[in-house]
Amino acid sequence: MSDQTMTKSPSRLRRALDSDLYYAFRTSPVAMISAFVSILLILAAVFAPLVATTNPFDPSSLNLMNGFTPPMTDNAFTGDSFIMGTDDQGRDVFSTILYGMRISLFVGVAAVLFALVLGVILGLLAGYAGGWTDTIIMRAADVQLTFPSILVAMLVFGIAKGITPVEYRDQMAIWVLILAIGLSDWVQFARVVRGATLVEKSKDYVAAARLIGRPPLAIMLRHILPNVLSPVLVIATISLALAIIAEATLSFLGVGAPPTQPSLGTLIRIGQQFLFSGEWWILFFPACTLLALALSVNLMGDWLRDALNPRLK
Amino acid sequence: MTEPILSIRNLTVEIPTRHGIFKPVENVSYDIRPGEIRGVVGESGAGKSMTGNAVIGLLDPPAHISQGEIWLNGRRIDALDPEEKRRIRGKEIGMIFQDPLTSLNPLFTIGEQLVETIQLHLGFTQAQAKARALELLEAVSIPNPPERFNQYPHQFSGGMRQRVVIALALCSEPSVIVADEPTTALDVSIQAQVLDLIKKLARERQIGVILVTHDMGVIADTTEQVTVMYSGKVVESGTTDQILGAPTHEYTKSLISAVPRPHEKQYRFPQVSYGGRETVFKVEDLARNWPKTQASSSGKILSVQGLTKRFVEKSSIIPSRQTYFTAVDEVSFDIHDGEVFGIVGESGSGKSTVARMIATLLPVDGGKVMFDGKDVTRLDREGQAWYRRQIQMIFQDPFSSLNPRMKVGDIVAEPLLHHKILPRNQVEARVRELLDKVGLASDAYRKYPHEFSGGQRQRISIARALATQPRFLICDEPTSALDVSIQAQILNILKDLQEHLGLTMLFISHDLPVVRQMCDRVGVMQRGKMVEVQETEALFSAPEHPYTRELLNLMPRLAQLSD
């Protein structure tokens, strides 16, 4: 429309509210609900110390007499009541879930960020440079894809555990977990970015930048990178859900977050010991939280992918 | 006069959007009689194709016919249910689309596709259908039909493929064919053959043809009746001679005046002022700050000697097993200071490859490019930095030549900042000045490229190219993606640049009339070779090479055009 050039540029917020993406968001109930659930859970995790009724890791606040209190029931000895009950140590399950979700989310977000940065750099390099660089990076990616990612993560975890001194092991566990999940996840970022880079590289605006004399690094970062980021955003959202599950799986298997810093996966592992003796709530509530978190984030990612790519509809 | 076979009455198509109802076609009426070819012409977005799609019943939802009637052979077809529409489509109305690559299924032989269509519509046996398919291939002048019958679409050239598409459209003896830009993707020589074929078929089989096109040359050579559309409405309808020779509506007049004349050199292209805002290009102001053009030592700013480019066709680790395709074969020519040198040729002739090698965007496989005495294919770092300031390029596709994620101001500022031409704090002022000079509103600085039309984007490209104050400008088909009226504006800008700034230009085009208007000397390329280099007037009046003569013969006549 030629008359668009006459109108004043609206503010950034106005433009965001007027964008097709926001419109697609407002008209999709799935997106609205999943966004609401994920934001609620994330806020609850971030502000856990304010939301939680007790600090489950402060031994002085624990009372062993409170152990195995079922949800919404007065404890026979102390008369305390807990919304989601307590575990064998008398810790409030609701509070441990909030703190556990913190660890789960932190590991998930950090692992995805690590995978994203690594994958985007390697994918950009492979796509733009081509030739041998491309061959080496992409073959490495192919080889890695032949191993199940959980296996890669366990391998990294095992090696890291072997080389860290015993006294640092618990402190390092979280970082090793991030490294392990991130390393098993970079391939999909690299593949998508490489493909998009190949498309963008052949466009004339890249030729124009080369003609100006811009060096390859500037072309990659300033010109190509912003144009390949929207699929990356989508993968990152979906990966976040997968990374949270991967972390839970590793922790469930006992190779993840230590019991001193339990994540949702650790809580589920602890809880499953009590499932058959009737204390179902110790397993049930952490598992539901994990489900809600992973599902809502995943649905957000799915919706984002459809909204950014109208051709899929 | 015979009864019309197809008549469109007051057709309106609506697309509901969240910003309100958009009417791409409004109150359109026209008739087609047997054996008649009706051209529907207009700029992109005028609603020409949308009308065609409405007739075939191929409107993409949510677009729908909100008003009007379509009658085919005395039967109203716009209100039929989808199943019945599908039966009419292909059986009574044939379709030819723009891109022959995508209209055929690559997984089936053309024989299979023809036989399937014939059986579907006419209920023939396998043998009958095959006989009919061969007959149709014969009718669309495909040599050796029995052999071609068993080949796949990729074994056909673009023109041949379009013939197969026409054969497919003819399968069920339709009474009307809708041809949507049937030759836009084809080269001129093939375009002429395909159009002749359509003309012949219309005449012999008494088929009515709706020919949707933006090309006045196609209209002038092929059609009997013309409907001119502008923003969804019919502005004028009549016989071709009448519309081209004595247009009455202002829009038609301006459209026709913008068509480059093939047979005489004009000083400037008439500017089309209908509808759009008048945008003024102030090149004289720009000339004041321009450095005095240095003459090159020899008078030849660029000398291309034996330039060769080969692309690997089949790659292999063993060098002797590699096979190559020679895209540019020993091309040599000189460009003098301050002239506009044109290269014409069909697609695949290697003209763009030559341009990209001169710009050092592609490495050369042989030969030299001497720019002001230096071989630019073997420059050191410093030499490259120097060369980057001497040349700039304007690309064909204005939609891919600007980074969609950068603001226009940043796009134009990039060369200034990279070459450190100005101190940082003066860059913005210079960019704003450049944008103003190419005729863009001042708020363009903070906008993104997608907020601009094709013509405006090409102006942004020009502003970016001028930022380094180059001596040499490469224009690679700068207007072939634009409508004819916008083309006139952009070409005028380029002419002014050349005149006032003393720029030397390499102008690449497949459009002979445009080349005649723009260039001082012209080189003709065919299959990677430069077959003829001549002064423009000499080339057009006395072409020497047979290929040049062939190209000139295929140029649309446009004899009926009013002045």
Side-chain angles (χ1 to χ4, degrees):
Chain A
M1 302 290 129
S2 59
D3 57 343
Q4 273 185 356
T5 53
M6 298 296 283
T7 55
K8 267 245 171 309
S9 302
S11 74
R12 209 168 267 266
L13 178 71
R14 245 304 11 111
R15 230 178 332 192
L17 288 179
D18 197 43
S19 72
D20 289 338
L21 196 64
Y22 181 70
Y23 179 75
F25 178 75
R26 248 184 14 195
T27 50
S28 160
V30 174
M32 297 263 275
I33 294 170
S34 56
F36 177 74
V37 173
S38 15
I39 290 169
L40 191 75
L41 290 173
I42 290 169
L43 286 180
V46 170
F47 296 106
L50 302 176
V51 183
T53 46
T54 56
N55 181 353
F57 304 111
D58 176 10
S60 63
S61 72
L62 292 183
N63 185 350
L64 273 180
M65 302 298 275
N66 276 335
F68 296 127
T69 312
M72 314 288 275
T73 319
D74 290 340
N75 185 280
F77 307 104
T78 59
D80 292 343
S81 169
F82 301 92
I83 183 165
M84 290 181 185
T86 59
D87 64 4
D88 55 339
Q89 315 269 332
R91 284 185 295 210
D92 174 25
V93 172
F94 176 66
S95 304
T96 49
I97 286 177
L98 291 179
Y99 280 90
M101 209 156 57
R102 266 185 142 186
I103 307 274
S104 286
L105 272 171
F106 174 71
V107 171
V109 169
V112 167
L113 274 182
F114 176 63
L116 187 147
V117 171
L118 189 68
V120 167
I121 290 173
L122 289 176
L124 206 56
L125 207 61
Y128 192 74
W132 282 109
T133 321
D134 185 24
T135 311
I136 292 168
I137 293 175
M138 290 332 282
R139 285 307 83 76
D142 288 343
V143 169
Q144 194 181 327
L145 274 188
T146 59
F147 299 106
S149 54
I150 201 81
L151 205 65
V152 176
M154 285 177 79
L155 188 74
V156 174
F157 197 81
I159 295 172
K161 211 170 176 182
I163 55 175
T164 40
V166 182
E167 59 267 35
Y168 296 120
R169 235 174 236 171
D170 272 7
Q171 282 165 290
M172 295 294 292
I174 298 290
W175 299 103
V176 172
L177 206 53
I178 291 168
L179 182 78
I181 297 172
L183 270 185
S184 66
D185 223 23
W186 68 273
V187 175
Q188 33 174 337
F189 288 100
R191 286 195 154 186
V192 167
V193 168
R194 173 182 173 268
T197 304
L198 287 178
V199 173
E200 296 300 318
K201 190 174 80 166
S202 64
K203 289 194 179 163
D204 284 339
Y205 71 84
V206 174
R210 287 175 59 201
L211 204 62
I212 290 168
R214 303 294 284 158
L217 192 65
I219 292 178
M220 274 193 267
L221 295 182
R222 185 131 167 74
H223 290 274
I224 296 181
L225 185 61
N227 285 295
V228 299
L229 275 185
S230 55
V232 169
L233 186 70
V234 173
I235 305 177
T237 323
I238 295 173
S239 289
L240 178 61
L242 294 176
I244 290 170
I245 291 173
E247 185 279 327
T249 313
L250 287 174
S251 298
F252 183 77
L253 293 174
V255 292
T260 50
Q261 283 172 291
S263 70
L264 287 177
T266 322
L267 293 179
I268 292 171
R269 176 165 60 97
I270 296 169
Q272 60 101 19
Q273 302 164 9
F274 303 108
L275 184 59
F276 292 107
S277 54
E279 289 87 17
W280 55 272
W281 59 91
I282 307 177
L283 170 73
F284 181 76
F285 292 113
C288 283
T289 315
L290 178 68
L291 182 79
L293 186 63
L295 187 65
S296 62
V297 172
N298 203 350
L299 286 174
M300 276 284 286
D302 271 354
W303 168 81
L304 199 62
R305 183 189 56 205
D306 293 348
L308 290 179
N309 189 353
R311 258 170 305 171
L312 283 177
K313 275 180 202 160
Chain B
M1 236 187 203
T2 45
E3 276 296 294
I5 32 175
L6 179 79
S7 64
I8 299 171
R9 292 270 147 269
N10 304 322
L11 184 74
T12 300
V13 174
E14 285 184 354
I15 302 178
T17 70
R18 68 185 174 103
H19 302 294
I21 291 171
F22 170 58
K23 294 181 180 173
V25 177
E26 208 177 339
N27 229 353
V28 167
S29 307
Y30 53 78
D31 292 337
I32 316 285
R33 290 181 175 73
E36 178 186 82
I37 301 181
R38 173 173 292 272
V40 180
V41 74
E43 295 180 356
S44 50
K48 330 180 279 280
S49 293
M50 195 67 89
T51 317
N53 289 347
V55 171
I56 317 166
L58 274 186
L59 286 176
D60 286 328
H64 61 274
I65 297 173
S66 64
Q67 207 189 314
E69 297 166 10
I70 302 168
W71 292 80
L72 178 71
N73 290 326
R75 176 162 168 229
R76 194 173 158 185
I77 61 165
D78 56 288
L80 297 177
D81 65 60
E83 185 54 28
E84 277 178 285
K85 268 189 189 165
R86 196 181 58 79
R87 228 170 287 143
I88 287 177
R89 171 163 79 230
K91 181 156 185 176
E92 290 173 58
I93 307 178
M95 292 160 285
I96 306 169
F97 293 111
Q98 173 168 353
D99 188 355
L101 255 174
T102 52
S103 350
L104 294 171
N105 187 333
L107 294 179
F108 293 96
T109 66
I110 59 137
E112 285 164 349
Q113 299 187 42
L114 282 166
V115 166
E116 192 202 347
T117 316
I118 293 168
Q119 285 189 312
L120 181 72
H121 289 304
L122 302 179
F124 281 15
T125 64
Q126 185 77 22
Q128 279 174 314
K130 182 170 179 182
R132 169 121 179 96
L134 290 173
E135 191 188 310
L136 281 171
L137 289 178
E138 187 84 52
V140 294
S141 320
I142 284 182
N144 197 1
E147 192 190 312
R148 291 300 222 165
F149 187 81
N150 292 318
Q151 290 184 342
Y152 289 89
H154 70 91
Q155 291 168 297
F156 288 73
S157 67
M160 282 295 159
R161 242 182 255 148
Q162 198 63 304
R163 285 164 196 267
V164 175
V165 173
I166 296 174
L168 268 174
L170 290 173
C171 272
S172 54
E173 297 279 350
S175 40
V176 176
I177 287 183
V178 179
D180 193 348
E181 305 267 7
T183 56
T184 308
L186 304 174
D187 279 323
V188 261
S189 55
I190 300 156
Q191 164 173 324
Q193 294 165 12
V194 170
L195 290 176
D196 278 345
L197 177 66
I198 292 176
K199 266 198 281 193
K200 189 181 116 200
L201 293 170
R203 197 174 54 241
E204 286 175 359
R205 298 176 178 236
Q206 286 297 300
I207 298 171
V209 178
I210 301 177
L211 185 70
V212 174
T213 183
H214 68 281
D215 187 334
M216 279 298 180
V218 171
I219 293 286
D221 282 357
T222 319
T223 64
E224 286 125 40
Q225 299 278 327
V226 182
T227 296
V228 185
M229 289 185 70
Y230 179 77
S231 71
K233 299 186 186 74
V234 171
V235 295
E236 198 166 357
S237 236
T239 66
T240 305
D241 289 344
Q242 185 190 327
I243 297 278
L244 294 187
T248 51
H249 194 276
E250 278 308 311
Y251 173 70
T252 321
K253 280 185 195 164
S254 63
L255 187 67
I256 286 171
S257 69
V259 175
R261 298 303 191 269
H263 293 293
E264 54 180 343
K265 183 141 179 159
Q266 293 159 313
Y267 175 64
R268 287 180 72 84
F269 294 92
Q271 206 92 18
V272 176
S273 56
Y274 189 83
R277 261 174 329 124
E278 195 82 39
T279 37
V280 198
F281 183 67
K282 305 155 204 161
V283 74
E284 290 89 342
D285 300 351
L286 210 55
R288 237 179 287 133
N289 297 333
W290 206 262
K292 206 151 165 44
T293 322
Q294 313 130 277
S296 54
S297 45
S298 55
K300 291 174 192 162
I301 189 166
L302 187 86
S303 172
V304 173
Q305 296 160 12
L307 199 60
T308 301
K309 179 77 200 174
R310 293 176 309 175
F311 290 111
V312 177
E313 207 167 39
K314 217 172 98 190
S315 102
S316 165
I317 307 174
I318 307 152
S320 60
R321 285 253 197 97
Q322 297 241 19
T323 55
Y324 294 97
F325 163 71
T326 308
V328 175
D329 194 1
E330 302 262 330
V331 165
S332 303
F333 59 90
D334 295 329
I335 299 180
H336 304 298
D337 282 343
E339 77 171 348
V340 180
F341 185 86
I343 299 183
V344 291
E346 296 182 273
S347 63
S349 62
K351 50 192 196 311
S352 284
T353 311
V354 168
R356 280 173 189 257
M357 281 194 285
I358 293 173
T360 65
L361 290 173
L362 270 180
V364 301
D365 289 326
K368 286 196 257 183
V369 177
M370 307 295 289
F371 184 86
D372 201 1
K374 292 190 186 72
D375 184 358
V376 299
T377 61
R378 291 171 190 78
L379 285 175
D380 53 11
R381 235 174 198 298
E382 209 173 304
Q384 263 186 1
W386 165 81
Y387 187 52
R388 295 292 184 215
R389 289 192 56 174
Q390 308 297 311
I391 64 153
Q392 269 305 318
M393 189 158 170
I394 293 170
F395 297 90
Q396 169 173 2
D397 180 4
F399 291 89
S400 87
S401 60
L402 302 173
N403 186 343
R405 298 284 162 129
M406 276 168 81
K407 287 189 180 143
V408 167
D410 295 331
I411 290 175
V412 179
E414 195 177 22
L416 292 170
L417 292 170
H418 175 76
H419 293 290
K420 303 194 174 61
I421 289 171
L422 287 173
R424 219 161 236 286
N425 55 4
Q426 290 175 29
V427 167
E428 181 172 343
R430 169 65 67 83
V431 171
R432 285 186 183 279
E433 186 195 337
L434 277 166
L435 289 173
D436 176 53
K437 298 296 184 258
V438 295
L440 290 168
S442 62
D443 60 353
Y445 187 85
R446 297 213 176 278
K447 288 188 170 183
Y448 286 93
H450 71 87
E451 296 172 68
F452 295 90
S453 67
Q456 289 172 320
R457 284 163 184 237
Q458 214 57 318
R459 287 165 188 263
I460 299 169
S461 276
I462 292 174
R464 171 176 63 190
L466 294 180
T468 51
Q469 307 194 323
R471 286 159 74 190
F472 187 72
L473 193 62
I474 301 170
C475 305
D476 186 1
E477 305 250 14
T479 59
S480 52
L482 303 177
D483 286 324
V484 60
S485 53
I486 313 292
Q487 164 173 294
Q489 293 176 11
I490 299 294
L491 292 178
N492 278 339
I493 292 179
L494 293 174
K495 274 198 150 186
D496 286 347
L497 287 178
Q498 194 260 337
E499 205 165 291
H500 292 280
L501 305 179
L503 274 179
T504 311
M505 254 185 241
L506 173 62
F507 189 91
I508 289 165
S509 179
H510 67 279
D511 190 334
L512 285 164
V514 168
V515 166
R516 179 165 212 176
Q517 303 304 325
M518 289 298 295
C519 304
D520 300 312
R521 290 191 311 135
V522 181
V524 181
M525 282 190 75
Q526 182 193 21
R527 282 190 233 110
K529 289 197 167 62
M530 186 69 87
V531 297
E532 185 171 1
V533 178
Q534 278 280 4
E535 300 275 325
T536 306
E537 283 313 298
L539 186 97
F540 277 82
S541 53
E544 272 169 20
H545 195 276
Y547 179 68
T548 316
R549 251 173 271 155
E550 194 191 320
L551 276 184
L552 289 179
N553 268 333
L554 293 168
M555 207 163 61
R557 302 281 162 273
L558 292 172
Q560 321 87 313
L561 280 194
S562 71
D563 285 319

